[in-house]
């Protein structure tokens, strides 16, 4: 299928052939017929993407601070790779479309193949021939409503939510500041709600158009008559103002405040600085209200991605019900999208249309892309020729998943391995699959893992997806006869762990896990220092992890498992490696009361030879501390390692790394060599399972207050 993509670093646009997405659980696959470009909003996005790196940095000082910390902890090369990887990620464009349901994922019951639907959501409802969208962001199109009209549903939902926040009542006088596409729809909706409407904009063409949409009055902002307030509102001012303009200053907000009566309401929809003129808001006692995009549920992963609805009795208008509401208003004729100044173009011309939009040559408030009806759904795209069958002295590699860690660390390291033959790369989204495959030299890309499982050219499969899919994908790959590099964690619970263990045991499969720290030159130097120890080893491992990321899949118990299972496993493995055996007992305590905001944990691991490891995983430590540091002592010798960049060992020369060495490159070399030669994995199944069981035991111990024996 074809999709329009933007390079976040340069702003360059390309209409690219990418694999068709595979609908996941709770998703609907839609064959697009129309999608809408909001000219003002998307022109701003184009402008930002084409800013210099310096200008982008100035606009996001929070991200600059993160880069500085990463540079201090990990060194210039990892920092550069991570930053460039994120900047070069392809950015899908679009967030409002309509089409026909092509397939539904597991758990979807509201839609069937052939339904006409409208779709919403940046990153989902893209300008592409096919889109996979969570079902709470999909609404059925009423009979008689054309798909070219239904494609406006997301924009309509944004306008509706801005109005709902303002709480208009029948007969009130309202102002709409900013008459782009959202503003024009807002005019129509306010008229449908029984309000009289004043429209204001800088451009005379948009002012004229708002009168055609039903505005009672409309003016260029600078030409609003001084006497208008007296003539239209008896001097009181408007009851409410909806600010749909986007601006680099707070001027639209100031204008809205000036227009309002005493105790009026201001609803902010557009993006702008919030530098309020306090005197106006204070003297009039104005009510400032923020509208969040399409409505309640927006940015809530539980609602959008997992499909959990809000009870209607408590949340009458969710973002999905706003979509439905807009479509019903279109069906009844209360809103007429055909009155808007629009242009329709074949999707094949999307690149040219966007370039003209960026240059200011497109004056319509909305641009509509029309898609062909007969595009085949292909989930595998060949990029370059890959020789048939195995190649002597090389390992055929497939990669499933390409998140930030994979693109910033694993894939660059894999690219430096001459024995790795990069066969195919699979991700959930076709855009990511195509761009990442091209960048790292894979012969093909796709969205269906089964293609990699059945490819005779593939010897080793890397699984670097979200944590909840690790056990299933690893088990399927092993049973398909492939070697597996599985990123941590192996599993989210004991049942999943048993699933993987059974596959390895029954198939005599090859399994390596991304516990890379044991391959670091620093970790190996420390282990070598204690190889001949007589007494038990005492380890103190401190991690300044920072607060858990809010609203992400990582901390979702079902999808990411939380950071104890998903990250602390690294430190358990390294402690086990240094001791030379897995732990036999675990005792743990959480420091915070709410793991969503503070998942700090203190854990003591006991080993059969009397060794003890104390792990401090801190979410609220000072940012000035090194992210990772550990100390090991036995028989009068002490080793200290800071961030895998410096290690001091009693009686030895200090080991220093210019860049952080967490062992990824050495791990790749050893695992590829093992697969190529037919040797066993560097990890035994016993070791792998023991680490997961230790993290499960940490959670159990912290919950019960008991020491857990393994």
């Amino acid at each position: 299928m074809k999709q329009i993509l933007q390079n976040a670093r340069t702003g360059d646009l390309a209409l690219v052939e990418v694999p068709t997405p595979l609908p996941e659980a709770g998703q609907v696959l839609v064959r697009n017929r129309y999608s809408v470009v909001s000219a003002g909003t998307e022109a701003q996005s184009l402008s930002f993407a084409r800013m210099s790196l310096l200008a982008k940095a100035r606009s996001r000082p929070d991200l600059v601070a993160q880069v500085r910390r990463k540079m201090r902890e990990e060194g210039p090369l990892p920092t550069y790779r991570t930053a460039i990887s994120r900047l070069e990620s392809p950015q899908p464009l679009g967030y409002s479309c309509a089409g026909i349901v092509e397939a539904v994922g597991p758990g979807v019951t509201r839609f069937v193949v052939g339904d006409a639907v409208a779709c919403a959501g940046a990153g989902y409802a893209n300008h592409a021939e096919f889109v996979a969208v969570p079902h709470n962001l999909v609404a059925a199109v009423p009979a008689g409503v054309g798909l070219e009209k239904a494609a406006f549903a997301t924009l309509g939902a944004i306008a509706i939510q801005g109005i709902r926040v303002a709480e208009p009542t029948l007969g009130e006088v309202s102002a709409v500041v900013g008459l782009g596409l959202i503003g024009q729809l807002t005019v129509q909706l306010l008229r449908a709600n029984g309000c009289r409407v004043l429209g204001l904009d800088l451009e005379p063409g948009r002012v004229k158009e708002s009168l055609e949409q039903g505005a009672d009055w409309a003016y260029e902002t600078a030409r609003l008559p001084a006497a208008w307030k007296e003539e239209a509102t008896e001097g009181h001012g408007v009851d409410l103002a909806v600010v749909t303009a986007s601006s680099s200053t707070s001027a639209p907000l100031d204008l809205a405040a000036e227009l309002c009566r005493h105790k009026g309401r201001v609803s902010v929809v557009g993006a702008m600085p919030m530098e309020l003129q306090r005197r106006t808001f204070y003297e009039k006692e104005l009510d400032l209200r923020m509208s969040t995009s399409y409505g309640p549920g927006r940015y809530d992963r539980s609602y959008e991605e997992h499909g959990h609805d809000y009870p209607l009795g408590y949340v009458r208008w969710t973002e999905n019900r706003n979509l439905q509401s807009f479509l019903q208003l279109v069906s009844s004729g209360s809103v007429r999208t055909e009155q808007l100044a629009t242009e329709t173009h074949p999707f094949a011309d999307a690149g040219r249309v966007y370039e003209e939009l960026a240059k200011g040559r497109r004056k319509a408030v909305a641009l509509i892309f029309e898609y062909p009806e007969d595009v085949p759904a292909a989930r595998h795209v060949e990029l370059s020729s890959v020789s048939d069958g195995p190649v002597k002295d090389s390992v055929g590699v497939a990669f499933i998943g390409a998140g930030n860690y994979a693109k910033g660390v694993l894939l660059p390291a894999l690219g430096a391995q001459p024995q790795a033959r990069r066969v195919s790369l699979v991700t959930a989204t076709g855009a990511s699959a195509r761009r990442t495959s091209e960048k790292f030299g894979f012969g093909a890309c796709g969205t269906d893992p089964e293609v990699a499982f059945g490819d005779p050219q593939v010897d080793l499969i890397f699984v670097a997806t979200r944590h909840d899919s690790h056990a299933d994908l690893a088990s399927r790959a092993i049973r398909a006869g492939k070697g597996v590099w599985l990123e941590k964690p192996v599993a989210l619970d004991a049942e999943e762990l048993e699933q993987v263990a059974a596959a390895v045991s029954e198939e005599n499969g090859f399994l390596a896990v991304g516990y890379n720290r044991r391959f670091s030159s620093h970790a190996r130097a420390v282990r070598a220092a204690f190889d001949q120890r007589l007494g038990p080893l005492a380890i103190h491992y401190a991690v300044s992890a920072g607060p858990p990321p809010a609203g992400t899949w990582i901390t979702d118990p079902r999808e990411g498992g939380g950071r104890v299972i998903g990250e602390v496993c690294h430190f358990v493995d390294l402690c086990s490696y240094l001791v030379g055996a897995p732990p036999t007992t675990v005792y743990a305590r959480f420091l915070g009361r709410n793991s969503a905001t503070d998942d700090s944990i203190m854990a003591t691991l006991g080993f059969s030879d009397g060794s003890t490891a104390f792990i401090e995983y801190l979410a609220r430590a000072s940012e000035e501390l090194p992210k990772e540091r550990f100390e090991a002592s036995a028989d009068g010798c002490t080793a200290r390692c800071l961030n895998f960049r410096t290690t001091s060992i009693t009686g030895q020369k200090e080991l220093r790394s210019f860049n952080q060495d967490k062992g990824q490159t050495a791990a790749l070399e050893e695992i590829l060599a093992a697969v190529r030669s037919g040797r066993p994995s560097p990890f035994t199944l016993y070791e792998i399972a023991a680490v997961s069981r230790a993290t499960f035991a940490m959670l159990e111990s912290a919950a019960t207050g008991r020491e857990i024996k393994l």
Side-chain angles (χ1 to χ4, degrees):
M1 73 168 195
K2 288 185 169 57
Q3 181 171 3
I4 187 78
L5 300 173
Q6 182 177 49
N7 185 300
R9 183 181 182 185
T10 65
D12 293 341
L13 295 162
L15 190 62
V16 181
E17 188 74 27
V18 303
T20 304
L22 186 70
E24 299 176 355
Q27 289 188 339
V28 178
L29 180 67
V30 176
R31 180 188 293 271
N32 259 345
R33 291 292 291 119
Y34 297 93
S35 62
V36 177
V37 178
S38 175
T41 300
E42 297 204 39
Q44 280 193 329
S45 298
L46 286 171
S47 176
F48 177 81
R50 294 179 176 182
M51 291 166 60
S52 68
L53 289 177
L54 179 60
K56 288 173 181 171
R58 285 173 174 166
S59 69
R60 292 297 306 273
D62 56 323
L63 295 183
V64 173
Q66 291 179 25
V67 170
R68 286 174 177 164
R69 187 184 182 195
K70 189 174 183 69
M71 177 80 79
R72 184 176 69 248
E73 293 177 348
E74 301 181 15
L77 184 58
T79 303
Y80 173 79
R81 282 178 174 168
T82 300
I84 292 302
S85 172
R86 296 191 181 188
L87 284 171
E88 290 184 347
S89 296
Q91 302 297 309
L93 301 175
Y95 54 93
S96 188
C97 63
I100 304 298
V101 174
E102 187 81 4
V104 298
V108 175
T109 57
R110 290 195 294 124
F111 303 100
V112 297
V113 173
D115 283 351
V117 294
C119 307
Y124 294 116
N126 304 319
H127 301 310
E129 290 172 335
F130 291 88
V131 292
V133 186
H135 68 87
N136 264 357
L137 294 175
V138 180
V141 176
V145 175
L147 290 174
E148 70 280 8
K149 296 179 180 179
F152 284 86
T154 307
L155 291 310
I158 294 171
I160 283 177
Q161 182 61 19
I163 292 170
R164 293 199 196 285
V165 166
E167 297 184 288
T169 59
L170 192 68
E172 286 192 311
V173 179
S174 57
V176 179
V177 182
L179 298 171
L181 176 55
I182 304 295
Q184 302 290 353
L185 289 170
T186 301
V187 170
Q188 287 199 35
L189 289 162
L190 283 167
R191 287 291 296 166
N193 199 69
C195 293
R196 292 185 293 162
V197 183
L198 163 68
L200 293 166
D201 199 277
L202 298 173
E203 295 186 19
R206 292 183 176 180
V207 169
K208 180 180 177 182
E209 186 179 351
S210 72
L211 292 169
E212 297 168 359
Q213 307 308 321
D216 298 87
W217 313 272
Y219 301 98
E220 293 173 57
T221 304
R223 297 187 178 183
L224 177 65
W228 178 85
K229 188 183 293 187
E230 282 69 27
E231 294 173 1
T233 68
E234 297 181 348
H236 297 294
V238 301
D239 298 287
L240 62 103
V242 182
V243 184
T244 55
S246 292
S247 173
S248 59
T249 72
S250 57
L253 195 53
D254 296 335
L255 175 61
E258 289 292 341
L259 288 169
C260 279
R261 62 168 171 82
H262 179 69
K263 296 187 76 67
R265 292 102 65 197
V266 178
S267 171
V268 181
V269 177
M272 69 199 69
M274 303 295 288
E275 298 170 356
L276 305 181
Q277 296 293 330
R278 179 182 181 277
R279 180 175 178 180
T280 305
F281 276 85
Y282 173 75
E283 290 181 351
K284 293 185 177 182
E285 203 174 351
L286 299 180
D287 193 349
L288 178 65
R289 306 176 180 184
M290 301 299 298
S291 175
T292 304
S293 197
Y294 329 142
R298 190 69 179 120
Y299 310 116
D300 179 354
R301 293 183 62 255
S302 175
Y303 179 91
E304 293 191 333
E305 295 185 23
H306 297 154
H308 299 308
D309 198 5
Y310 301 154
L312 185 144
Y314 294 91
V315 184
R316 177 62 184 93
W317 295 110
T318 61
E319 55 184 326
N320 188 274
R321 291 193 272 271
N322 276 340
L323 291 171
Q324 295 176 39
S325 177
F326 179 80
L327 291 169
Q328 289 297 334
L329 288 167
V330 172
S331 178
S332 68
S334 298
V335 173
R336 304 179 67 86
T337 61
E338 66 272 19
Q339 291 182 182
L340 299 166
T342 63
E343 298 175 4
T344 301
H345 300 272
F347 185 55
D349 294 339
R352 174 181 59 80
V353 171
Y354 262 111
E355 289 295 344
E356 291 174 353
L357 176 63
K359 295 174 182 176
R361 295 176 186 169
R362 294 287 170 187
K363 300 302 182 184
V365 295
L367 306 169
I368 303 172
F369 290 137
E370 184 175 9
Y371 296 81
E373 297 183 63
D374 56 354
V375 177
R379 296 197 170 92
H380 186 78
V381 175
E382 294 288 342
L383 301 176
S384 62
S385 61
V386 180
S387 59
D388 294 331
V391 176
K392 184 179 179 181
D393 294 330
S394 72
V395 177
V397 172
F399 217 97
I400 303 177
N404 290 329
Y405 176 72
K407 288 185 289 190
V409 178
L410 281 183
L411 285 166
L414 183 66
Q417 301 299 320
Q419 69 267 43
R421 182 165 41 90
R422 294 172 290 284
V423 179
S424 64
L425 184 142
V426 175
T427 69
T429 61
S432 174
R434 174 76 190 230
R435 176 69 186 93
T436 309
S437 296
E438 288 178 332
K439 180 175 181 181
F440 294 105
F442 284 83
C445 62
T447 53
D448 188 352
E450 287 296 334
V451 176
F453 298 157
D455 191 338
Q457 298 183 75
V458 173
D459 305 304
L460 177 65
I461 292 180
F462 284 74
V463 177
T465 53
R466 292 187 177 185
H467 300 167
D468 61 331
S469 62
H470 282 190
D472 176 63
L473 290 171
S475 300
R476 286 159 58 193
I478 289 168
R479 294 193 183 280
K482 308 301 183 185
V484 173
W485 169 304
L486 177 59
E487 265 309 307
K488 52 76 187 171
V490 175
L492 298 186
D493 56 38
E495 183 179 349
E496 288 186 355
L497 180 61
E498 180 55 35
Q499 177 187 356
V500 176
V504 174
S505 298
E506 293 166 12
E507 303 294 334
N508 193 26
F510 181 100
L511 176 63
V513 181
Y515 296 142
N516 47 272
R517 284 161 176 77
R518 61 162 60 194
F519 295 89
S520 166
S521 58
H522 296 270
R524 289 184 163 178
V526 173
R527 172 153 168 165
F530 296 105
D531 264 351
Q532 304 301 317
R533 65 183 173 86
L534 300 175
L537 192 62
I539 304 171
H540 179 199
Y541 205 128
V543 184
S544 300
T552 69
W553 64 268
I554 295 170
T555 54
D556 186 310
R558 297 173 309 165
E559 198 167 3
R563 294 197 297 179
V564 172
I565 290 175
E567 188 171 328
V568 175
C569 56
H570 264 311
F571 318 126
V572 174
D573 178 74
L574 184 57
C575 291
S576 301
Y577 169 76
L578 295 177
V579 172
T584 56
T585 62
V586 174
Y587 181 78
R589 278 287 181 270
F590 277 121
L591 297 185
R593 292 181 177 273
N594 181 358
S595 62
T597 57
D598 185 356
D599 54 1
S600 301
I601 194 168
M602 316 287 276
T604 302
L605 310 180
F607 298 83
S608 59
D609 69 349
S611 296
T612 302
F614 182 64
I615 297 175
E616 268 179 34
Y617 186 82
L618 304 177
R620 297 294 173 183
S622 167
E623 291 186 358
E624 298 302 314
L625 288 174
K627 184 173 181 181
E628 291 183 44
R629 61 196 191 279
F630 69 87
E631 181 176 288
S633 299
D635 298 350
C637 176
T638 296
R640 294 186 182 90
C641 177
L642 259 60
N643 268 333
F644 295 92
R645 294 186 73 183
T646 62
T647 295
S648 60
I649 301 172
T650 303
Q652 297 185 25
K653 182 180 178 181
E654 186 175 69
L655 174 63
R656 287 183 173 271
S657 302
F658 182 68
N659 292 300
Q660 192 176 52
D661 175 16
K662 285 188 178 179
Q664 288 95 345
T665 299
L668 279 169
E669 290 174 352
E670 292 193 26
I671 289 164
L672 288 168
V675 173
R676 185 176 58 183
S677 64
R679 296 198 307 269
S681 167
F683 301 87
T684 67
L685 180 58
Y686 177 67
E687 288 177 313
I688 290 170
V691 171
S692 289
R693 291 191 180 107
T695 58
F696 302 157
M698 283 185 190
L699 297 179
E700 183 182 351
S701 176
T704 63
R706 296 185 293 106
E707 180 181 76
I708 307 299
K709 296 186 183 301
L710 300 175

